[in-house]
Amino acid sequence: MSSPPLSLRVIGHNAGTSMDGLDLVHVHFTQESPDKPLKCELLRYGEIDMPKPLKRKVMHLIKTNTTSPEEISVVNVRLGEFFASAIKQFAQEQGFSLKDDVDIIAGQGQTIWHLPLPELFPGRDVSRAHLDMAEISTIAAETGITTMGNFRVSDFALGRQGCPLFAAFDSLWVNHPTKTRAVQNIGGIANFSVSAAGGDATKCFDFDTGPGNVFIDAAVRYFTNGEREYDKNGEMGAKGKVRQDVVDEWLQHPYFTHDIPKTTGRETFGDDTADKICEKMIKEGATPEDCVATITRITAQSLVEHYQRYAPKPLDEIYMGGGGSRNPNIVNYLREQLPNTYITTIDELGVPLGAKEALGFAFLGCEGFVGRPVMVPQHVESQREGVIGHIQPGDNHFKLRKNVVRFWGDWPEDNVKPTTKMEFSSRFAQ
């Protein structure tokens, strides 16, 4: 007797380095049998702003790099409470039921500290480490839904860097028989993944290029005393003059010159660093607009230089997502410097600009709960496969487990392999 098909409805979420809020997607994964392509349908997308008092508390914890057991405990639970509240709000606003229409919640907590390259911190007693917070026990208890998290530390434990962690999903989504494609995300930190031409999703890799919006947002807050959180449509940067000498000096930072694999975060590119750039430039006669223009160019030029160093040639297409993909000062620079590459946004592929990483976590949740290892990209420290993510059972856990066991049936354990074929569809398709 044949086993029943897989059906998992997943809420994926992502809280990026910018700390603007929580991006959420509702996705339906189906699979006729373990040897058939995984099907992924994007049903819904939404964004819920992080409450400002919570954001200030988290930002202070990261910016000062001084804390206490009390503060860590409180922040972890409060973030979990916010995530749970945001998920319930998402379902209510989008008109679906958590109990009836969701099997799993999967995502990543708010990154607090990401330290994959201790050699960039000489003189400090540090080692490879990662910490993010948003207690999954709280999310599962308040929503009633089985919840997954800690995907990054799971990948860390297998010998890699835990970030960006989306090469597998991106390549399954965009791989093409004749075109080499990149998926570019410009959140607080910028990263891109590359899927080589040929239709083989396993030929992929990803890494962080450096600051995305994190410096730009910090500069805008610096000059507006916190009244504005980001450079809307690049308006402030567009009015300024780029100090190319500052850009070139900054791009000699050890992170930019470090070879891949590499990933980063606020511990390397934090608000204090952006503030110092602004203070120095102002003393030298620059305007606030000049500072924002220059800091924006650091992001844009670092992207171009990393494409030139690491992307296969020709690089046919780049699909951009994240808040920075709305900044014309970044996008136009990429188009000027990479004239032979078609550059557009991910909504052309049916994914809203802020949805991509939440969608990636939904995929990781599906694979982790089913018990499949995730495809390991190229250019990483370890090729060791493994199932990643931690599971906190919800009220629906027993039923889900039974369904997964039925799906696998008598499938041999030695044949449980990473997904290498996926069919993607979206209700947002143009």
Side-chain angles (χ1 to χ4, degrees), residues 184 189-192 207-211 255-256 262 264 302-303 306:
Q184 172 76 64
I189 297 297
N191 60 70
F192 67 75
F207 64 95
D208 290 342
T209 58
Y255 183 81
F256 295 116
K262 60 179 178 178
T264 190
S302 68
L303 289 173
H306 280 98

Side-chain angles (χ1 to χ4, degrees), residues 10-14 22-26 44 46-49 79-99 102-108 134-136 138-148:
V10 183
I11 287 181
H13 63 79
N14 180 62
L22 199 64
D23 296 318
L24 301 117
V25 294
H26 187 206
R44 298 176 175 90
E47 304 172 21
I48 306 295
D49 291 339
L79 282 167
E81 291 170 343
F82 162 60
F83 280 33
S85 174
I87 289 163
K88 290 188 283 188
Q89 182 180 339
F90 173 56
Q92 182 178 17
E93 290 177 352
Q94 298 279 342
F96 67 96
S97 164
L98 290 178
K99 181 179 179 180
V102 179
D103 300 310
I104 296 170
I105 295 166
Q108 196 59 33
E135 180 54 57
I136 62 172
T138 300
I139 300 171
E142 294 198 8
T143 62
I145 304 300
T146 295
T147 300
M148 296 188 65

Side-chain angles (χ1 to χ4, degrees), residues 119-130:
E119 64 267 27
L120 296 183
F121 298 88
R124 288 165 56 177
D125 181 19
V126 295
S127 55
R128 285 164 42 87
H130 175 89

Side-chain angles (χ1 to χ4, degrees), residues 178-181 197 311-317 340-341:
T178 62
K179 297 177 181 179
T180 293
R181 289 171 157 177
K313 295 177 178 58
L315 176 60
D316 298 293
E317 298 174 346
N340 298 320
T341 300

Side-chain angles (χ1 to χ4, degrees), residues 124-340:
R124 288 165 56 177
D125 181 19
V126 295
S127 55
R128 285 164 42 87
H130 175 89
L131 176 65
D132 56 77
M133 295 189 198
E135 180 54 57
I136 62 172
S137 300
T138 300
I139 300 171
E142 294 198 8
T143 62
I145 304 300
T146 295
T147 300
M148 296 188 65
N150 288 323
F151 296 100
R152 299 201 189 282
V153 291
S154 294
D155 188 68
F156 234 86
L158 292 169
R160 294 179 287 274
Q161 296 190 21
C163 291
L165 209 54
F166 302 118
F169 176 80
D170 289 352
S171 191
L172 289 166
W173 170 36
V174 307
N175 75 92
H176 191 276
T178 62
K179 297 177 181 179
T180 293
R181 289 171 157 177
V183 181
Q184 172 76 64
N185 189 74
I186 309 177
I189 297 297
N191 60 70
F192 67 75
S193 59
V194 173
S195 180
D200 181 356
T202 66
K203 307 298 184 184
C204 64
F205 65 94
D206 63 353
F207 64 95
D208 290 342
T209 58
N213 300 318
V214 65
F215 273 5
I216 305 169
D217 294 349
V220 171
R221 283 193 294 269
Y222 179 85
F223 289 117
T224 65
N225 295 316
E227 292 182 10
R228 290 167 57 187
E229 292 283 343
Y230 65 100
D231 187 15
K232 185 177 181 180
N233 298 320
E235 292 172 359
M236 192 170 178
K239 297 175 183 176
K241 181 179 179 181
V242 173
R243 279 274 307 275
Q244 190 61 45
D245 60 317
V246 174
V247 175
D248 293 340
E249 179 182 357
W250 247 96
L251 291 180
Q252 295 306 308
H253 183 282
Y255 183 81
F256 295 116
T257 59
H258 197 288
D259 202 3
I260 61 172
K262 60 179 178 178
T263 57
T264 190
R266 285 183 178 271
E267 71 292 325
T268 301
F269 298 110
D271 284 24
D272 281 347
T273 306
D275 292 351
K276 289 175 183 176
I277 296 173
C278 294
E279 290 168 2
K280 184 173 185 292
M281 289 184 63
I282 290 294
K283 287 180 181 177
E284 295 172 348
T287 67
E289 290 78 10
D290 294 340
C291 295
V292 174
T294 300
I295 283 174
T296 303
R297 180 60 57 82
I298 291 172
T299 291
Q301 190 168 322
S302 68
L303 289 173
V304 168
E305 291 185 2
H306 280 98
Y307 276 121
Q308 291 171 338
R309 284 167 63 188
Y310 296 112
K313 295 177 178 58
L315 176 60
D316 298 293
E317 298 174 346
I318 298 174
Y319 291 90
M320 302 181 68
S325 63
R326 299 184 178 95
N327 189 326
N329 304 318
I330 298 175
V331 178
N332 292 339
Y333 184 79
L334 261 65
R335 286 175 172 154
E336 290 169 5
Q337 298 298 313
L338 303 171
N340 298 320

